[in-house]
């Protein structure tokens, strides 16, 4: 069983829809990243959070430490949001190590 | 801010050849990470450095892989000899490790193809 699991693996949405991507983890963490990767492109860190909720534009990330669960929401989705979204957890303690989920491939159709 | 700079962006070479990937972290960052991304396994940590010292190299696949960080502004990942199964995108990332967690900043990656 992977230490970081994402769902769904693939998601197709119509432009304007509200989108939710989920991430569950089984290890102790000090923080959680949501990353975005466009096809053939680099990786961009969208959020890093260790509690509560963060918002940036149309993107919202939440985390529940007790339930070991995080969600990434996209409001009013747009075709340019089409990308792979990757959840990664920063292992707690002295290490500075990220463990990655397998990613969610999002396609937003016009 | 120049961001994390990786070179080359693309590398195609024949199996058995030595491959050297390069990374310049963001100035002031004291942690550097090498990752590999494949379709089958996704993103995997290969090795990371704190203050130029290798901390965890448990992700390095085998002795053919080696990484160095001779100073705070430069790191290399070397594969010798290369094999077709090493074909992947290799990312370098850096962050500042201080009293609180800081996000990692990724380079654009090196797409490596071993023929």
């Amino acid at each position: 069983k992977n230490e970081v699991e994402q769902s769904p693996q693939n998601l197709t949405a119509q432009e304007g829809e509200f989108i939710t991507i989920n991430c569950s983890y089984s290890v102790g963490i000090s923080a959680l990243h949501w990353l975005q990767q466009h096809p053939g492109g680099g990786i961009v860190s969208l959020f890093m959070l260790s509690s509560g909720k963060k918002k940036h534009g149309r993107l919202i990330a939440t985390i529940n430490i007790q339930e070991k669960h995080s969600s990434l929401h996209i409001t009013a989705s747009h075709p340019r949001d089409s990308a792979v979204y990757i959840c990664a957890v920063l292992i707690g303690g002295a290490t500075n190590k990220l463990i990655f989920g397998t990613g969610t491939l999002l396609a937003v159709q016009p | 801010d120049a961001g994390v700079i990786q070179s080359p962006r693309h590398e195609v070479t024949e199996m058995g050849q030595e491959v050297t990937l390069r990374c310049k972290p963001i100035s002031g960052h004291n942690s550097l990470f090498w990752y590999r991304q494949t379709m089958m396994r996704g993103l995997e940590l290969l090795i990371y450095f704190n203050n130029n010292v290798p901390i965890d190299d448990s992700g390095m696949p085998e002795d053919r892989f080696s990484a160095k960080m001779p100073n705070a502004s430069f790191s290399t990942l070397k594969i010798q000899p290369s094999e077709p199964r090493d074909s992947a995108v290799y990312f370098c990332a850096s962050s500042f490790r201080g009293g609180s967690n800081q996000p990692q900043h990724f380079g654009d990656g090196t797409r490596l193809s071993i023929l």
Side-chain angles (χ1 to χ4, degrees), chain A residues 30-31 33 35 37 40-45 48 50 86 90 93-98 100, chain B residues 31 33 35 37 43-45 48 50 56 58 91 95 97 101-104 106-108 111:
Chain A
S30 59
H33 280 260
L35 308 171
Q37 185 175 28
I43 297 171
V44 174
S45 178
M48 188 181 78
S50 53
I86 303 167
L90 187 64
T95 185
N96 201 15
K97 187 172 173 176
L98 278 177
F100 297 88
Chain B
S31 292
F33 308 82
Y35 297 101
Q37 186 179 39
L43 272 162
E44 301 173 285
L45 175 68
Y48 80 91
N50 278 347
D56 184 344
S58 59
F91 288 98
S95 71
R97 179 173 168 79
N101 292 316
Q102 297 295 319
Q104 294 186 18
F106 288 77
D108 289 336
R111 187 172 296 273

